[in-house]
Amino acid sequence: MVVATVLNAQPKQPKNIIFMVGDGMGVAQVYSSIVAMKGKSNFERFPYTGFSKTYSYSDFTTDSGAGGTALFTGSKVNNKAIALSPDGKPLTTLLEKAQQKGMATGFVVSTIVNCATPSATYAHVSNRDQFDSITLQLSQSDLDFFSGGGLMYFEQKNRKDGLSPIDTLTKRGFEMVYTLDDLQKVNADKIGALLTPERPVGYPERGEILSVATLKAIEHLSKKGDGFVLMIEGSQIDYGGHDTSITKVVNEVVDFDKVIGLVLDYAMQDGETLVIVTADHETGGLTLPFGSIKDGNVEAKFTTTHHTGVMVPVFAYGPGAENFVGIMENTDLYHKIRQIMQWEK
Ligand code: MG
Ligand code: ZN
């Protein structure tokens, strides 16, 4: 059978995992970018697709704290919690597990690095708004690379606890950079990029911080040799939904799509990288009653300014990708990764 031959040609266990999250990216958000790009979408390059049920431990409609926690720890938790169980126990994250296995780890986001989604890869707090604590936990983490915005949270003068996470990072061997130029040039054992004082603005105004940092992250983490886990978030698709702005949604998904293209190019050449793209939840209750694929126009209707509880899409490529099909729990993705990587419980 031809299909079986193709599948068997790939190694079963990937060396690297690139886990991509479009925050607030439901099917309509993905399709709005496909239409806007007149069909030239990187989403259409994935051979395996499925759906993820996003409800949290406490609510039909999740927030990004519980949503990220489900994806990165395999546990449903209370809304707002970051990698912390409903009974207050820290949950080991995918990146922490990979660190224990000697793999390199990192993340790249287009919002502040201590926002809910990236936090769920390295922090353990009951409320995503505990920014000082989250920032401190990032400075004490065993990540090898991170990039995003939010420098102000790391500076002593802006903190109630009088601590300086930026000093902690430097003391722990991180080379800190604050511009995209410096990020491209830097060569160090551990790299931290804080590219804006506060939250980066929307795309395209913020520039190529997601694409450039992704390429740097892959270059840096793949050099380490023992495989890597990289989390990439298209963070601001969610903000487009909250603002009920289809222009914002399309711009943000187009930016994310470009990064998906870069990642797939790498994975196709590398042959040992499992790529998963999904969302933590949908935002805005977006639907597209009218549009034109020929002209690249979409007419949108948002039904809420909040998150919704609908299923979100899952896309997978690479060794093990065939496991990410059908209707899954958001927590299944983590457990499937553990199984594919043959990590014991
Ligand atoms: Mg997020
Ligand atoms: Zn949101």
Side-chain angles (χ1 to χ4, degrees):
M1 208 173 103
V2 177
V3 175
T5 313
V6 171
L7 291 177
N8 290 341
Q10 293 185 330
K12 269 194 190 131
Q13 195 176 316
K15 184 178 176 194
N16 314 307
I17 298 164
I18 302 182
F19 198 137
M20 305 181 70
V21 178
D23 197 312
M25 187 183 74
V27 170
Q29 282 80 357
V30 172
Y31 193 55
S32 72
S33 78
I34 292 177
V35 175
M37 290 185 286
K38 300 177 188 176
K40 283 181 234 138
S41 166
N42 287 301
F43 284 99
E44 297 192 35
R45 295 168 65 185
F46 288 95
Y48 299 100
T49 54
F51 289 99
S52 160
K53 295 191 275 188
T54 66
Y55 66 91
S56 72
Y57 182 80
S58 62
D59 212 308
F60 176 72
T61 301
T62 189
D63 80 315
S64 292
T69 299
L71 294 173
F72 306 140
T73 75
S75 294
K76 302 240 184 201
V77 300
N78 291 321
N79 277 12
K80 295 214 149 197
I82 302 291
L84 201 73
S85 74
D87 55 352
K89 293 199 182 76
L91 300 160
T92 306
T93 74
L94 175 65
L95 275 67
E96 289 169 333
K97 191 74 207 170
Q99 288 155 11
Q100 290 168 12
K101 296 287 172 189
M103 296 171 78
T105 60
F107 71 80
V108 174
V109 297
S110 51
T111 186
I112 53 176
V113 296
N114 50 352
C115 203
T117 311
S119 300
T121 69
Y122 63 80
H124 307 274
V125 294
S126 58
N127 191 312
R128 57 183 287 178
D129 297 332
Q130 295 165 260
F131 287 118
D132 278 2
S133 175
I134 292 170
T135 310
L136 202 62
Q137 291 186 41
L138 173 53
S139 74
Q140 293 159 343
S141 75
D142 289 320
L143 294 164
D144 302 282
F145 185 99
F146 66 88
S147 178
L151 172 60
M152 61 163 285
Y153 296 93
F154 291 78
E155 294 172 319
Q156 202 167 20
K157 61 178 187 204
N158 303 319
R159 295 176 60 90
K160 288 196 189 91
D161 59 12
L163 296 170
S164 176
I166 205 97
D167 289 347
T168 307
L169 283 163
T170 308
K171 276 190 204 119
R172 295 191 61 245
F174 276 87
E175 185 86 30
M176 297 302 297
V177 293
Y178 308 101
T179 67
L180 215 47
D181 272 358
D182 286 346
L183 176 58
Q184 281 176 296
K185 281 183 236 148
V186 68
N187 187 6
D189 185 43
K190 298 181 192 184
I191 298 170
L194 293 168
L195 302 171
T196 53
E198 297 185 54
R199 181 204 276 182
V201 296
Y203 191 79
E205 289 77 13
R206 68 170 169 267
E208 303 303 323
I209 66 171
L210 207 58
S211 297
V212 171
T214 293
L215 289 175
K216 186 70 184 191
I218 291 173
E219 177 203 304
H220 181 69
L221 297 174
S222 62
K223 268 198 310 220
K224 300 240 158 190
D226 295 324
F228 66 84
V229 176
L230 170 63
M231 194 285 284
I232 303 166
E233 183 192 25
S235 315
Q236 300 205 23
I237 300 162
D238 174 64
Y239 308 159
H242 285 296
D243 292 347
T244 64
S245 164
I246 188 63
T247 308
K248 259 188 207 180
V249 166
V250 168
N251 285 343
E252 293 295 341
V253 185
V254 166
D255 184 38
F256 193 47
D257 177 273
K258 182 165 31 131
V259 179
I260 290 170
L262 298 172
V263 165
L264 284 178
D265 290 347
Y266 171 78
M268 282 178 177
Q269 192 207 349
D270 169 73
E272 294 185 297
T273 302
L274 170 62
V275 182
I276 299 163
V277 182
T278 189
D280 47 359
H281 54 75
E282 195 273 347
T283 307
L286 177 62
T287 186
L288 308 170
F290 306 104
S292 162
I293 296 169
K294 186 167 66 78
D295 302 330
N297 293 327
V298 284
E299 208 171 292
K301 271 205 164 70
F302 292 90
T303 60
T304 174
T305 58
H306 299 290
H307 301 171
T308 72
V310 296
M311 295 191 293
V312 294
V314 177
F315 305 87
Y317 172 83
E322 66 278 9
N323 294 287
F324 298 85
V325 293
I327 295 179
M328 297 166 271
E329 294 288 345
N330 52 4
T331 48
D332 288 345
L333 277 63
Y334 172 85
H335 295 294
K336 283 174 189 284
I337 291 171
R338 281 188 75 131
Q339 222 165 19
I340 292 163
M341 297 303 283
Q342 297 178 320
W343 292 340
E344 74 292 351
K345 286 269 176 201

